Amino acid sequence: MTGGAILNPVEHTFTASEIVRIGDCLYAWTGMVFRENKRYFIERRISERMKRSGKPGVDAYLDHAATHSEEREALISAFTINESYFYREDHQFGALSAHILPAIVASKQPGDKLRILSLPCSTGDEPYSIAIWLLENWAMVDAYNVEIVGSDIDYAALAAARLGWFGAKALARLSPDLIAAYFGEEQRHRRQIIDPLRESVQYIHANIIDRTTLAPLGTFDVIFCRNLLIYFDDKARHSAVENVFDCLNPGGFICLGHSESLARISNRFAMVRYDNAIVYRRP
């Protein structure tokens, strides 16, 4: 970088009260906490959306976003972090096939429905990983009607998930044999997941802190909700966990990220320890 050039310049510096209002709106819409300590991150993304929408003032822009769903969705997409990759924290997938699913199907009959939710699913790396893992590692996968659903607050991420194109970084943890079996030929440094697998995962928009968006999803036997609660404050975490509890069938399991715990959020779940993972179960 030469001549004093600045990458992604901010249009103008916001006042402290404007940062507070932006953070309040984002919190109400997503449950994520954005405050003064993330000023530069906020300014960059809001400035871009203000410029694109033709609303130069913060108040005018936020009023516009509040009343126009397309702009609100674009703003949320600008602030969500969609960093994921295949077989992330795959020790939990090992627990899924070795312990969790056998515990669940003990009360089911062959042919019964078995539902798994990935929330947030980002661009599809996790739900497709679950599908591949089960095909490769759970011998009973064909004995049950397995439904995998991916949900996210970010419409753009869901659109990308449905298309199923992934680059080398996303596929880095997969073996060459798995890539050959489940992805098409490389095109412009990306590969598309094969149609049968892509069509086997359903993608639906949902907001974990908005119960009304979760209700249409129905209930699940297993929910993967990994690396999301770390972006919430205590109030939003409690709301999210209560909503997840209602989405679980009795005896269902929730899998969190390795740095997350329900210990100080809710006493409605039972902790279950396996050799390779800690998960939580609805009694």
Side-chain angles (χ1 to χ4, degrees), residues 92-107:
Q92 284 189 339
F93 297 154
L96 176 70
S97 55
H99 305 290
I100 295 173
L101 293 182
I104 289 171
V105 301
S107 60

Side-chain angles (χ1 to χ4, degrees), residues 212-226:
T212 62
T213 69
L214 292 172
L217 302 182
T219 57
F220 295 85
D221 299 294
V222 184
I223 296 179
F224 283 82
C225 182
R226 306 195 293 182

Side-chain angles (χ1 to χ4, degrees), residues 33-44:
V33 177
F34 293 95
R35 297 300 184 214
E36 183 67 36
N37 63 331
K38 296 181 180 178
R39 168 180 282 272
Y40 184 61
F41 181 86
I42 294 169
E43 287 179 337
R44 287 175 59 193

Side-chain angles (χ1 to χ4, degrees), residues 2-283:
T2 59
I6 301 176
L7 294 176
N8 299 314
V10 174
E11 295 294 323
H12 68 272
T13 300
F14 298 115
T15 66
S17 62
E18 287 174 331
I19 294 293
V20 168
R21 188 182 176 203
I22 294 166
D24 288 346
C25 287
L26 289 168
Y27 182 78
W29 295 333
T30 70
M32 294 186 291
V33 177
F34 293 95
R35 297 300 184 214
E36 183 67 36
N37 63 331
K38 296 181 180 178
R39 168 180 282 272
Y40 184 61
F41 181 86
I42 294 169
E43 287 179 337
R44 287 175 59 193
R45 281 154 177 77
I46 286 284
S47 292
E48 177 63 24
R49 293 312 316 165
M50 288 168 59
K51 183 177 180 181
R52 287 178 177 271
S53 67
K55 303 292 182 182
V58 170
D59 288 338
Y61 171 74
L62 291 176
D63 290 344
H64 175 72
T67 55
H68 292 77
S69 60
E70 287 188 5
E71 181 55 37
R72 186 167 62 253
E73 291 159 10
L75 176 63
I76 290 170
S77 293
F79 276 83
T80 51
I81 299 170
N82 292 312
E83 181 178 352
S84 188
Y85 49 87
F86 280 75
Y87 278 22
R88 185 178 186 178
E89 297 185 32
D90 58 359
H91 59 281
Q92 284 189 339
F93 297 154
L96 176 70
S97 55
H99 305 290
I100 295 173
L101 293 182
I104 289 171
V105 301
S107 60
K108 293 181 181 289
Q109 298 296 320
D112 283 354
K113 188 175 293 186
L114 195 163
R115 304 191 75 220
I116 302 173
L117 173 65
S118 169
L119 172 70
C121 68
S122 185
T123 53
D125 312 53
E126 183 173 88
Y128 289 134
S129 289
I130 294 168
I132 293 172
W133 183 274
L134 295 185
L135 288 169
E136 293 290 321
N137 297 282
W138 192 42
M140 300 297 292
V141 65
D142 292 326
Y144 297 91
N145 180 14
V146 180
E147 289 186 4
I148 300 175
V149 177
S151 292
D152 204 283
I153 195 174
D154 186 343
Y155 281 96
L158 290 171
R162 293 186 186 103
L163 292 175
W165 285 94
F166 299 95
K169 183 178 179 182
L171 304 180
R173 289 180 58 85
L174 296 182
S175 69
D177 287 345
L178 289 180
I179 293 174
Y182 295 107
F183 295 84
E185 293 296 320
E186 184 175 311
Q187 299 181 35
R188 298 181 180 180
H189 308 292
R190 304 175 76 204
R191 294 176 183 268
Q192 188 177 35
I193 202 157
I194 58 174
D195 288 347
L197 205 60
R198 186 159 55 91
E199 293 165 0
S200 71
V201 180
Q202 185 179 10
Y203 290 99
I204 306 172
H205 176 265
N207 183 344
I208 195 170
I209 64 167
D210 184 350
R211 190 180 299 265
T212 62
T213 69
L214 292 172
L217 302 182
T219 57
F220 295 85
D221 299 294
V222 184
I223 296 179
F224 283 82
C225 182
R226 306 195 293 182
N227 306 304
L228 175 62
L229 299 181
I230 55 175
Y231 296 104
F232 293 171
D233 65 4
D234 289 343
K235 180 181 178 181
R237 286 190 193 104
H238 180 76
S239 176
V241 169
E242 286 296 304
N243 290 341
V244 166
F245 183 90
D246 291 338
C247 288
L248 272 177
N249 292 324
F253 290 80
I254 176 173
C255 300
L256 300 178
H258 72 277
S259 63
E260 298 171 316
S261 170
L262 294 183
R264 292 186 293 178
I265 303 174
S266 174
N267 61 3
R268 303 184 73 185
F269 296 84
M271 179 188 291
V272 182
R273 294 179 180 271
Y274 297 120
D275 291 340
N276 52 354
I278 294 175
V279 299
Y280 298 87
R281 191 173 194 183
R282 173 173 172 166

